[in-house]
């Protein structure tokens, strides 16, 4: 009990004794007890109120502990890539190559030839509406050189390569000769002339939908096609870190070289073609002519009803060549076969060219420039007419 309380009680006792003595109404002891009880009751109430006030203040003032932020895991450090095999010099020459139309002569006039949109062969090294020509996308020639276990593809362009670009140079492999690409090897334009896996990817088509319903032939647009949809090599990451490489050709400033291992195509023959792409740049959209109708894609041909190019742009591709087997000569999209005029090769040198209607309503037609040994297996709306084999 503090001093102030003791003093109050003493005063109350004194006053009670004094009043009692004067009035004679209550016993002194009772009066003292009542005074002390009242004082203690008030003090207890005051102490309870003070304790409650301090408790309320403590509740208000006590800071709410902050919820700790979840710990951000440290990014895993990728395992270093260790290379066991690096390509050498592509000295051996195989008898397989492709040539392609050179657009540079007519580029300043805003048109070109050689484009065959209906069978997925493009000659479009231009920006939308043909406003800019980019010669480093204009394919001219590609040679395959084989020095097992390496395949080398020397790709030659119409113009000097720039220091940098977003262009992808690709090799499409058809491993079962059904006109559907099975594997695509893609390489960003390299910075130097040393072999590198930087910017190199390999993808495969996991569900055989490259080419849509009719391989190579332009089908109605189908956004459900997944194209080349599975990555099997990414800049050295994969089961084999040495699977594919790229470099600038040290002997030619208009050329790049891509090398890939024999384990990709296996031991059999295959069809192959080359692509240069800085437009759509999307392997998941293959084939491009199954994503856009011809009218929306546009045409690079002068005076064509769909001129100039629109949705499909900055892309060039070659005809389809072969390795490891002898084609029949009627494979759609195949490069021009040079045959001797022997009976087993057509007798008098006659062959077949494929024609089709561009627009059934307008009755316009287009002829595919390749002269095939025999008429290819073509869908309704296409037909063959005689031509002279070279």
């Amino acid at each position: 009990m503090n001093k102030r309380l003791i003093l109050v009680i003493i005063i109350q006792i004194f006053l009670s004794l004094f009043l009692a003595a004067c009035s004679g109404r209550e016993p002194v002891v009772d009066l003292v007890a009542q005074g002390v009880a009242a004082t203690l009751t008030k003090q207890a109430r005051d102490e309870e109120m003070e304790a409650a006030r301090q408790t309320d203040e403590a509740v208000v003032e006590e800071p709410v502990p902050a919820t700790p932020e979840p710990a951000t895991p440290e990014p895993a450090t990728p395992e270093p890539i260790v290379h066991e095999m690096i390509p050498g010099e592509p000295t051996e020459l195989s008898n397989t190559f492709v040539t392609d139309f050179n657009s540079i002569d007519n580029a300043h006039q805003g048109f070109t030839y050689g484009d065959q949109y209906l069978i997925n062969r493009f000659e479009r090294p231009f920006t939308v509406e043909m406003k800019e020509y980019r010669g480093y996308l204009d394919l001219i020639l590609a040679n395959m050189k084989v020095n097992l276990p390496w395949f080398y593809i020397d790709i030659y362009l119409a113009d000097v390569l720039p220091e940098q670009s977003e262009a992808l140079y690709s090799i499409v492999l058809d491993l079962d000769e059904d006109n559907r690409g099975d594997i695509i090897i893609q390489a960003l334009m390299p910075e130097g002339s040393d072999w590198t896996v930087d910017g190199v990817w390999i993808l495969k088509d996991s569900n055989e939908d490259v080419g849509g319903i009719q391989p190579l032939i332009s089908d109605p647009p189908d956004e459900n096609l997944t194209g080349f949809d599975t990555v099997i090599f990414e800049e050295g990451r994969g089961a084999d870190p040495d699977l594919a490489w790229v470099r600038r050709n040290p002997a030619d400033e208009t050329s790049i070289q891509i090398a890939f291992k024999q384990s990709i195509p296996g031991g059999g023959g295959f069809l192959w073609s080359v692509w240069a792409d800085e437009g759509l740049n999307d392997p998941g959209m293959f084939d491009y002519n199954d994503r856009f109708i011809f009218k929306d894609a546009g045409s690079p041909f002068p005076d064509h009803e769909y001129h100039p190019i629109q949705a499909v742009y900055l892309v060039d591709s070659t005809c389809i060549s072969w390795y490891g087997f002898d084609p029949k000569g009627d494979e759609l999209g195949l490069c021009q076969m040079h045959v001797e005029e022997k009976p087993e090769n057509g007798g008098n040198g006659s062959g077949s060219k494929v024609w089709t209607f561009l627009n059934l309503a307008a009755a316009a037609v287009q002829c595919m420039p390749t002269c095939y040994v025999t008429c290819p297996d073509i869908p309704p709306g296409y037909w063959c007419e005689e031509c002279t084999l070279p």
Side-chain angles (χ1 to χ4, degrees):
M1 194 177 295
N2 58 39
K3 293 180 180 180
R4 184 178 179 183
L5 178 60
I6 294 172
L7 180 59
V8 170
I9 293 174
I10 292 172
I11 293 171
Q12 286 182 342
I13 292 173
F14 175 77
L15 290 174
S16 299
L17 290 173
F18 177 77
L19 292 173
C22 292
S23 61
R25 294 179 182 176
E26 295 288 345
V28 173
V29 176
D30 291 343
L31 290 172
V32 171
Q34 290 175 7
V36 171
T39 301
L40 291 176
T41 301
K42 180 178 184 300
Q43 177 66 23
R45 184 170 63 252
D46 291 343
E47 288 179 353
E48 288 178 0
M49 292 179 65
E50 178 63 18
R53 183 186 66 79
Q54 292 178 357
T55 302
D56 290 342
E57 289 179 355
V59 171
V60 172
E61 294 174 1
E62 184 178 353
V64 178
T67 303
E69 292 289 334
T72 302
E74 291 293 329
T77 302
E79 292 294 327
I81 298 173
V82 179
H83 295 293
E84 297 181 0
M85 295 184 65
I86 299 176
E89 295 300 320
T91 55
E92 301 297 325
L93 179 63
S94 176
N95 187 27
T96 179
F97 64 94
V98 294
T99 59
D100 196 58
F101 190 87
N102 189 344
S103 294
I104 198 168
D105 293 336
N106 299 310
H108 66 286
Q109 300 179 60
F111 68 86
T112 189
Y113 299 98
D115 190 83
Q116 300 178 58
Y117 187 82
L118 298 179
I119 59 169
N120 202 47
R121 181 174 173 185
F122 303 107
E123 185 65 33
R124 299 167 178 241
F126 298 86
T127 58
V128 174
E129 297 186 351
M130 319 284 288
K131 291 183 177 180
E132 180 186 346
Y133 167 74
R134 297 184 183 176
Y136 60 88
L137 298 173
D138 192 358
L139 298 166
I140 296 176
L141 172 69
N143 284 324
M144 176 181 284
K145 299 177 181 180
V146 183
N147 189 359
L148 297 178
W150 296 105
F151 286 85
Y152 299 91
I153 307 291
D154 294 342
I155 302 172
Y156 294 91
L157 291 308
D159 207 351
V160 175
L161 304 179
E163 291 186 4
Q164 292 181 328
S165 87
E166 295 299 316
L168 279 171
Y169 299 90
S170 304
I171 314 299
V172 174
L173 304 179
D174 174 5
L175 304 181
D176 50 10
E177 303 154 36
D178 63 353
N179 284 331
R180 296 183 188 274
D182 297 298
I183 297 286
I184 188 168
I185 304 164
Q186 295 195 306
L188 281 170
M189 181 179 290
E191 295 182 357
S193 57
D194 293 329
W195 289 111
T196 180
V197 297
D198 294 343
V200 180
W201 294 267
I202 303 176
L203 299 92
K204 70 177 183 179
D205 174 17
S206 65
N207 57 1
E208 288 286 315
D209 71 347
V210 168
I213 299 171
Q214 303 173 108
L216 294 183
I217 300 294
S218 181
D219 297 315
D222 185 354
E223 295 183 357
N224 294 318
L225 300 177
T226 58
F228 297 103
D229 55 3
T230 304
V231 177
I232 59 176
F233 179 88
E234 180 180 1
E235 299 184 298
R237 305 287 176 188
D240 183 348
D242 305 331
L243 207 52
W245 302 71
V246 67
R247 72 174 182 178
R248 290 180 182 238
N249 190 336
D252 194 318
E253 61 183 356
T254 67
S255 172
I256 72 167
Q257 297 172 312
I258 294 176
F260 60 91
K261 278 188 174 181
Q262 183 187 20
S263 57
I264 296 177
F270 55 87
L271 298 170
W272 64 280
S273 60
V274 178
W275 290 68
D277 190 354
E278 200 178 22
L280 296 172
N281 255 1
D282 187 350
M285 292 182 67
F286 271 60
D287 286 337
Y288 287 164
N289 68 348
D290 294 326
R291 296 292 185 151
F292 306 92
I293 60 173
F294 195 0
K295 182 178 180 180
D296 292 342
S299 172
F301 284 83
D303 303 322
H304 194 284
E305 62 175 325
Y306 299 150
H307 182 83
I309 61 173
Q310 297 291 340
V312 181
Y313 60 97
L314 288 177
V315 61
D316 196 5
S317 64
T318 68
C319 57
I320 298 172
S321 191
W322 58 93
Y323 172 81
F325 74 104
D326 293 323
K328 296 181 294 182
D330 62 351
E331 290 87 348
L332 195 62
L334 200 71
C335 295
Q336 182 70 67
M337 293 188 67
H338 295 261
V339 297
E340 298 179 12
E341 292 192 26
K342 296 179 179 180
E344 61 268 29
N345 291 328
N348 61 1
S350 64
S352 297
K353 278 191 175 182
V354 177
W355 293 72
T356 187
F357 286 108
L358 285 179
N359 186 323
L360 293 176
V365 296
Q366 181 180 32
C367 172
M368 312 302 175
T370 302
C371 187
Y372 297 96
V373 175
T374 60
C375 184
D377 182 15
I378 50 180
Y382 292 74
W383 70 92
C384 288
E385 294 186 3
E386 186 175 314
C387 58
T388 300
L389 289 166

